[in-house]
Amino acid sequence: GLVTDTYPYDSQYRIAMGQGCPDTSGCDSAYYGFFNQVYGAARQLRRYENPPGTSNFFTWYAPGRTWNILYHPPALVNGQWVDQ
C-alpha cells in the first residue's frame, strides 16, 4: 500500500487509514486527508485500549479474549477469529 508505494496517488493519502469509510457506504469527506486519517486511527486505537467500564466505546472487544470479526459482505466470507 501507501508505505511501500514509490509514487502514491492523492486518493491513497485521502483515505490512508480507512477512517470514515464504512463497509456499508462511501467515505465521509470530513475524514479526508492524511492528517485526519492518522489522527482518527490513533484516536480509534486509544478507544480500544480502555478497560471495560471506563468508556462507552468498544468495551465489548476486551483484551485477552477471542472475537469473530465479520467481513462485508457476509455472504462471501463468514469471518475470522482473532485474539485481542
Side-chain angles (χ1 to χ4, degrees):
L2 183 58
V3 173
T4 59
D5 197 334
T6 56
Y7 192 73
Y9 294 106
D10 289 340
S11 61
Q12 288 174 271
Y13 290 107
R14 186 172 40 240
I15 56 170
M17 306 295 286
Q19 289 293 302
C21 297
D23 291 338
T24 56
S25 64
C27 295
D28 183 342
S29 62
Y31 294 90
Y32 283 178
F34 189 72
F35 173 82
N36 291 336
Q37 287 290 300
V38 173
Y39 183 84
R43 185 170 181 247
Q44 192 72 29
L45 290 172
R46 292 287 299 180
R47 287 179 174 176
Y48 289 140
E49 77 176 4
N50 290 329
T54 62
S55 173
N56 292 329
F57 301 103
F58 306 106
T59 56
W60 57 88
Y61 289 124
R65 296 192 55 195
T66 302
W67 301 93
N68 187 23
I69 307 299
L70 299 177
Y71 295 106
H72 181 78
L76 298 178
V77 179
N78 289 331
Q80 178 178 350
W81 289 94
V82 295
D83 291 324
Q84 293 289 33

